[in-house]
Amino acid sequence: MSQSYAPSPEFTEQANGQADLYEQAESDFEGFWAAQARERITWSKDFEETLDWSDAPFAKWFVGGELNASVNCVDRHVDAGNGDRVAIHFEGEGGDTRTITYADLQKLVAQAANALEELGVSTGDRVAIYLPMVPEAVVAMLACARLGAPHSVVFGGFSAEALHTRIADADAKLVITADGQFRRGKPSPLKAAVDAAIDHGDDESPVQTVLVVRRTEEDVRWVEGRDLWWHEVVDKQPETHEAQAFDSEHPLFILYTSGTTGKPKGIFHTTGGYLTQTAYTNAVVHDLHPESDVYWCTADIGWVTGHSYIVYGPLANGATQVLYEGTPDTPHKGRFWEIVDTYDVSILYTAPTAIRTFMKWGDDIPAKYDLSSLRVLGTVGEPINPEAWRWYREHIGGGSAPIVDTWWQTETGAIMISPLPGVTELEPGSAQKPIPGISAEILDDEGKPFTEPDKVGYLVLTKPWPSMLRGIWGDEQRYKDTYWSRFGPEYYFAGDGAKYDGEGNIWLLGRVDDVMNVSGHRLSTAEIESALVSHEAVAEAAVVGANDETTGQAVVAFVILREEAREQADEVGEGSDLVQEMRNHVAKEIGPIAKPRTIMVVSELPKTRSGKIMRRLLKDVAENREVGDVTTLADSSVMEQIQSGLQK
Ligand code: PRX
């Protein structure tokens, strides 16, 4: 079944991203990016050189240019006469709301910047931000940017231990947090984790000040001389702040991400290139029209998606956006669609895992709301299986909204591979082509580029790009080793497996650590998962490669059944009709080689708080080992449930 999803002429006509962008970028790479930088960003001092790659892999973009990221995201919109435009429609989990215009945001950021200065924060100092999804998180980031003090945002779901490591690695002298956060209708503490991260025992904390936003109004421990209430310090500050321009390569933020070793990597980004590419992609990929769109990115501010597509990209473009504090099922499973309906959201950017959850909850839930305002849908974070893609298009996008499946990473800073919604004929499940200005290839084991369809290889980026990471904080060697050595210094190795289809579209196949080798054939976990999910009985699936004496690795699948299937199947164990049928279904979809050796029916999958399935733990189960560290799971009891379910 091949269905084409060409853009409608009406969409194309109004789209920011037109086909000629590809030609422009192709014919003059540096000229293209220089034009983007000048069109989208206001420079206090123009740059002299677009790219300096002489010290590769340490790039300098827009050399000699000076700018202030916070001024670009806030002040210039007010100066342009758009002070009354809503910047943020804040929706609290409990239903409390705040409307913040660009003029309001300008005052809030100025006050916060003045407060930070009063507390001794100056250019180059690192500030840790450990906040829930409240407007102060955006304000805090922009206030740091205004002072040239790189922020290190730590996801509010991380533990005190994780916070401790990140504070220590970045040597942060100030932490901005809240008393607590609302999660599923209940207040849960945050400040306590900051206390524990600072009073860690083994070493002296660099933190001198903790600035605390009052959110839940629960009691907190208070350390005199160190802890200060945000409202007491910030609210009394002057409402204007004179911003200084910084070098284009001035560090903007550090964001920690897990690598193959235990120690998280502090990915750091600088100012001019990052802002240019986030603004450009938000304009041409999300097709943001700031005067008419209401944009909503559902990511948490603690992840790179929140940095690039809640804060810097959309605000640089002067967007009106929704900021939602809570979870999709609080207080009911229609919460997202209620928000879309209420605010007339026109661009929605979310994760495939969320979409599959919505599918599981049923079509009738979104059907209760008016979603006709939606005109562009996006996904990020993992491959989206074609079934989820079609469901998203049909049940959320009214059967017509283009879906942009955007591939990128914390390291890339901004979208790299994605359709342009007014140009590309969409292929469900594929992120398709590098966007204009970006160059990617797929390499084989020997490091040779190839283009033949269906052969599995490694995704690499072949040219520097403006929003690329500038390194790993404090570890130049690790930066080179991790990203620029596997296939030689001219290729950025993304760590993802990929293949082309017959049309030259790129299909991302998951991290290479998730690519299995069965009888000498490479198989992607994502591909088998997608096949399983396309079976009518399956709601979600996770696949791991388990050691196998005969075949090297064998495919082991964990599946969650759909409600109806669970009710109908009298037996779901190994050897049952349903399991046999699912195995055959995979064989049919991909080939007999991909047929899972084992399918285990479970009621939950182990996921991190960002929604990523923790295959490592499933691998432990599949290989009959004791299950490893479960501390990063959103719900640490999931593994017990799985194991006790399997023993029954
Ligand atoms: O494996 C790819 C997957 O997520 C990884 C990057 O994760 P992170 O740094 O946490 O950033 C996530 C948000 C940008 C990639 O190496 N990934 C991300 N987007 C996609 C994807 N895999 C397939 N398709 C995507 N659209």
Side-chain angles (χ1 to χ4, degrees):
M1 182 190 72
S2 170
Q3 190 180 353
S4 104
Y5 296 92
S8 71
E10 299 76 46
F11 191 99
T12 301
E13 200 188 332
Q14 61 79 57
N16 291 327
Q18 298 290 337
D20 61 346
L21 282 179
Y22 291 98
E23 289 132 45
Q24 286 170 25
E26 189 72 24
S27 65
D28 180 7
F29 173 71
E30 289 192 19
F32 171 82
W33 281 117
Q36 291 302 330
R38 292 195 176 104
E39 178 186 334
R40 308 202 181 268
I41 299 306
T42 302
W43 298 83
S44 309
K45 180 170 165 272
D46 194 17
F47 50 91
E48 292 135 25
E49 193 187 352
T50 302
L51 169 66
D52 176 0
W53 190 229
S54 58
D55 187 26
F58 298 93
K60 288 196 180 74
W61 279 90
F62 311 123
V63 184
E66 289 180 4
L67 75 166
N68 186 294
S70 164
V71 168
N72 268 278
C73 289
V74 185
D75 304 58
R76 66 169 173 155
H77 305 312
V78 180
D79 294 345
N82 295 319
D84 291 340
R85 183 186 293 164
V86 174
I88 296 173
H89 288 294
F90 172 68
E91 175 84 19
E93 198 189 63
D96 54 318
T97 61
R98 273 172 80 183
T99 307
I100 299 170
T101 64
Y102 275 95
D104 298 332
L105 191 60
Q106 186 180 34
K107 288 181 196 145
L108 294 169
V109 172
Q111 287 185 310
N114 285 322
L116 291 179
E117 266 178 348
E118 188 178 288
L119 296 171
V121 173
S122 55
T123 306
D125 289 343
R126 272 82 62 203
V127 174
I129 298 178
Y130 186 63
L131 280 172
M133 287 285 286
V134 291
E136 285 80 2
V138 179
V139 171
M141 288 164 76
L142 292 171
C144 289
R146 199 171 185 89
L147 302 178
H151 52 72
S152 162
V153 182
V154 180
F155 174 55
F158 275 132
S159 64
E161 190 60 36
L163 181 61
H164 167 79
T165 325
R166 287 159 175 75
I167 287 174
D169 189 77
D171 202 19
K173 63 193 284 190
L174 187 138
V175 181
I176 305 177
T177 189
D179 48 1
Q181 59 183 334
F182 291 109
R183 232 44 206 158
R184 302 209 146 84
K186 287 195 288 274
S188 81
L190 263 186
K191 166 76 164 53
V194 176
D195 294 336
I198 295 173
D199 306 331
H200 197 257
D202 50 341
D203 45 10
E204 196 171 328
S205 176
V207 176
Q208 291 154 17
T209 311
V210 179
L211 199 51
V212 188
V213 173
R214 192 151 71 191
R215 177 65 184 144
T216 58
E217 307 193 8
E218 301 278 292
D219 285 340
V220 288
R221 205 189 111 207
W222 208 254
V223 177
E224 286 306 326
R226 186 197 74 186
D227 298 349
L228 297 165
W229 285 110
W230 172 283
H231 59 270
E232 286 177 5
V233 183
V234 175
D235 293 1
K236 63 169 195 220
Q237 298 292 332
E239 293 181 346
T240 55
H241 176 271
E242 196 64 47
Q244 189 192 329
F246 298 104
D247 189 89
S248 178
E249 283 298 331
H250 188 79
L252 182 62
F253 67 86
I254 308 170
L255 184 58
Y256 288 85
T257 182
S258 44
T260 45
T261 74
K263 189 174 182 275
K265 297 178 285 196
I267 303 299
F268 84 91
H269 285 281
T270 60
T271 310
Y274 174 79
L275 211 57
T276 298
Q277 196 175 329
T278 53
Y280 157 68
T281 46
N282 177 243
V284 304
V285 177
H286 297 125
D287 195 43
L288 180 92
H289 294 261
E291 41 325 304
S292 53
D293 277 313
V294 178
Y295 166 90
W296 183 21
C297 166
T298 69
D300 193 281
I301 218 113
W303 308 115
V304 74
T305 307
H307 284 58
S308 302
Y309 296 110
I310 294 177
V311 182
Y312 292 105
L315 293 179
N317 288 333
T320 294
Q321 68 178 313
V322 170
L323 186 76
Y324 173 52
E325 180 183 33
T327 55
D329 54 353
T330 309
H332 58 80
K333 290 181 172 148
R335 189 64 192 273
F336 268 32
W337 318 122
E338 186 179 71
I339 291 173
V340 169
D341 193 344
T342 305
Y343 294 101
D344 288 329
V345 172
S346 55
I347 304 173
L348 178 68
Y349 193 37
T350 194
T353 182
I355 297 164
R356 288 193 295 269
T357 303
F358 298 135
M359 280 174 82
K360 198 161 58 175
W361 289 345
D363 310 347
D364 53 318
I365 297 174
K368 287 189 208 129
Y369 300 90
D370 179 2
L371 307 181
S372 60
S373 54
L374 286 171
R375 59 174 206 91
V376 180
L377 303 177
T379 68
V380 56
E382 53 177 320
I384 178 164
N385 49 300
E387 279 58 44
W389 194 102
R390 293 199 182 90
W391 185 90
Y392 195 28
R393 169 117 167 165
E394 204 50 44
H395 295 279
I396 307 303
S400 62
I403 299 177
V404 287
D405 171 357
T406 61
W407 178 89
W408 57 293
Q409 310 176 299
T410 304
E411 292 88 340
T412 71
I415 294 168
M416 304 293 283
I417 303 179
S418 167
L420 291 189
V423 179
T424 315
E425 193 156 319
L426 302 172
E427 179 63 48
S430 164
Q432 302 196 264
K433 304 261 161 73
I435 59 166
I438 300 301
S439 309
E441 285 195 281
I442 305 180
L443 305 184
D444 65 15
D445 281 323
E446 272 75 57
K448 287 206 190 61
F450 64 86
T451 53
E452 61 196 275
D454 292 326
K455 177 172 162 176
V456 175
Y458 305 93
L459 181 75
V460 294
L461 302 168
T462 56
K463 279 190 187 146
W465 62 100
S467 65
M468 67 194 288
L469 75 165
R470 299 302 197 265
I472 294 176
W473 192 256
D475 200 342
E476 288 196 354
Q477 196 54 43
R478 192 175 177 196
Y479 168 62
K480 288 185 187 164
D481 293 346
T482 310
Y483 303 105
W484 300 95
S485 65
R486 172 107 180 223
F487 297 109
E490 65 273 36
Y491 291 120
Y492 169 88
F493 173 50
D496 278 306
K499 66 172 192 184
Y500 293 106
D501 64 15
E503 312 295 315
N505 291 310
I506 295 174
W507 291 70
L508 277 315
L509 303 174
R511 304 290 304 179
V512 283
D513 5 17
D514 295 339
V515 173
M516 296 165 288
N517 192 323
V518 179
S519 305
H521 298 274
R522 259 205 234 150
L523 288 172
S524 132
T525 54
E527 218 169 2
I528 301 175
E529 285 163 9
S530 176
L532 281 165
V533 177
S534 73
H535 187 281
E536 60 189 13
V538 179
E540 268 200 87
V543 167
V544 296
N547 287 332
D548 186 281
E549 269 183 16
T550 328
T551 58
Q553 281 190 312
V555 181
V556 176
F558 295 79
V559 303
I560 303 180
L561 295 180
R562 282 179 193 262
E563 202 78 45
E564 319 88 78
R566 209 174 320 153
E567 282 158 16
Q568 280 163 22
D570 21 354
E571 229 204 305
V572 292
E574 268 296 324
S576 70
D577 287 349
L578 181 58
V579 165
Q580 201 49 40
E581 201 185 300
M582 291 189 284
R583 295 180 69 233
N584 290 337
H585 181 74
V586 175
K588 188 176 117 249
E589 292 286 305
I590 305 173
I593 180 74
K595 205 170 177 171
R597 181 190 72 189
T598 315
I599 294 184
M600 306 190 188
V601 175
V602 295
S603 56
E604 287 293 339
L605 290 172
K607 287 184 187 159
T608 62
R609 294 182 183 90
S610 65
K612 285 218 161 72
I613 293 171
M614 291 201 65
R615 290 200 177 69
R616 174 171 63 75
L617 300 177
L618 293 173
K619 223 171 138 113
D620 291 344
V621 174
E623 299 181 349
N624 291 319
R625 265 197 312 271
E626 209 183 327
V627 172
D629 185 8
V630 296
T631 50
T632 52
L633 283 180
D635 174 0
S636 58
S637 68
V638 166
M639 289 316 295
E640 283 158 37
Q641 283 177 41
I642 291 177
Q643 285 184 308
S644 68
L646 295 175
Q647 273 150 20
K648 270 191 221 138

